[in-house]
Amino acid sequence: MIELNQRPNARFTVELHFWEELTAQLTELDRAVADWIVWQEPANVDSAFRNPLTTVPLTETVNQETATEGGDDFSEIEKLFEERRIDVAAFQIEKLPDAEQDQKLSNEQRYPILRLKGKLALEQLKFDEAVRLFELAYELCPELPQARINHVLALEFSGDKVKAFDAACQLFREGERSPSLLTLLVRTASNVVVHYLGSAQREAFA
């Protein structure tokens, strides 16, 4: 490259871009579009999902909840996630009560702690642990929309994308329209199509 740039009348400029910089620009796109660019999965979804979505930072893998969906306000820890200060968030989460062992805590108190620990595990690429924690949180408060969305995410990461898509569709039929849910529908839809096409082929040759 240096030799090429030294040729007479043939100079060119090389621009270097870091992933964090690209991610910041992806947040200007609709969530489903940005997710498709990153995960390289086709958006084989119904036309209902083709309308522009609300812009959500790509780094927010798991949406924030309102304080009423967890009992306590963990907005400071959520802010640390937004600012990508994951190590500081991990330190703060370590100081929280043990939601798995402390039986004195109510389900409403245990839920947000487990959810935050699941979110941290996801950031640390500990997918099995994230699945376990999200499912524990879902069992405590299965009526919360965010718990149900995280349950869909857990199903996806556990490899059962057919069940994940079915659960996401149920939420959509009930009126849920959050960007996280629509992204999950986009990500799991193509896998479901492949699954059913494969089943149809097996039946055809049986």
Side-chain angles (χ1 to χ4, degrees), residues 1-194:
M1 184 177 295
I2 294 176
E3 292 179 358
L4 289 173
N5 210 25
Q6 290 176 341
R7 293 182 304 172
N9 303 319
R11 292 182 178 275
F12 58 91
T13 301
V14 177
E15 294 185 6
L16 298 179
H17 296 275
F18 294 95
W19 177 246
E20 289 76 9
E21 181 184 350
L22 296 175
T23 300
Q25 295 185 30
L26 286 174
T27 60
E28 298 176 5
L29 302 174
D30 294 330
R31 176 62 183 268
V33 175
D35 225 44
W36 183 86
I37 293 174
V38 173
W39 298 103
Q40 298 180 0
E41 292 189 355
N44 292 332
V45 293
D46 187 76
S47 59
F49 309 132
R50 296 173 189 165
N51 295 324
L53 307 179
T54 304
T55 300
V56 174
L58 190 64
T59 50
E60 290 185 11
T61 308
V62 183
N63 271 5
Q64 293 184 30
E65 297 166 348
T66 60
T68 57
E69 284 199 348
D72 294 305
D73 186 357
F74 295 98
S75 58
E76 289 303 315
I77 296 178
E78 293 285 9
K79 186 177 180 180
L80 292 172
F81 278 111
E82 290 178 16
E83 296 172 350
R84 310 306 301 148
R85 299 167 64 189
I86 306 303
D87 290 341
V88 182
F91 177 75
Q92 295 297 331
I93 290 173
E94 278 295 318
K95 296 191 294 184
L96 297 176
D98 188 340
E100 295 187 60
Q101 300 296 329
D102 193 343
Q103 299 300 319
K104 295 180 181 178
L105 298 175
S106 67
N107 286 358
E108 289 72 21
Q109 291 172 317
R110 296 165 65 193
Y111 168 76
I113 298 173
L114 290 171
R115 188 193 67 81
L116 284 172
K117 288 186 174 182
K119 185 171 182 175
L120 177 62
L122 205 59
E123 291 283 359
Q124 296 172 336
L125 305 182
K126 299 176 181 177
F127 300 117
D128 290 342
E129 179 66 1
V131 167
R132 187 184 73 84
L133 290 166
F134 284 146
E135 291 291 42
L136 283 176
Y138 173 71
E139 291 173 5
L140 292 174
C141 296
E143 73 285 354
L144 295 181
Q146 188 61 50
R148 298 177 67 186
I149 291 174
N150 290 346
H151 172 60
V152 174
L153 184 65
L155 288 172
E156 180 192 16
F157 276 107
S158 65
D160 199 340
K161 293 195 175 184
V162 175
K163 283 187 177 180
F165 182 74
D166 289 342
C169 285
Q170 181 59 38
L171 273 167
F172 186 84
R173 284 193 291 268
E174 293 176 11
E176 179 65 40
R177 295 294 186 274
S178 70
S180 289
L181 177 64
L182 298 181
T183 298
L184 285 167
L185 281 165
V186 169
R187 282 215 303 257
T188 57
S190 59
N191 294 276
V192 173
V193 171
V194 171

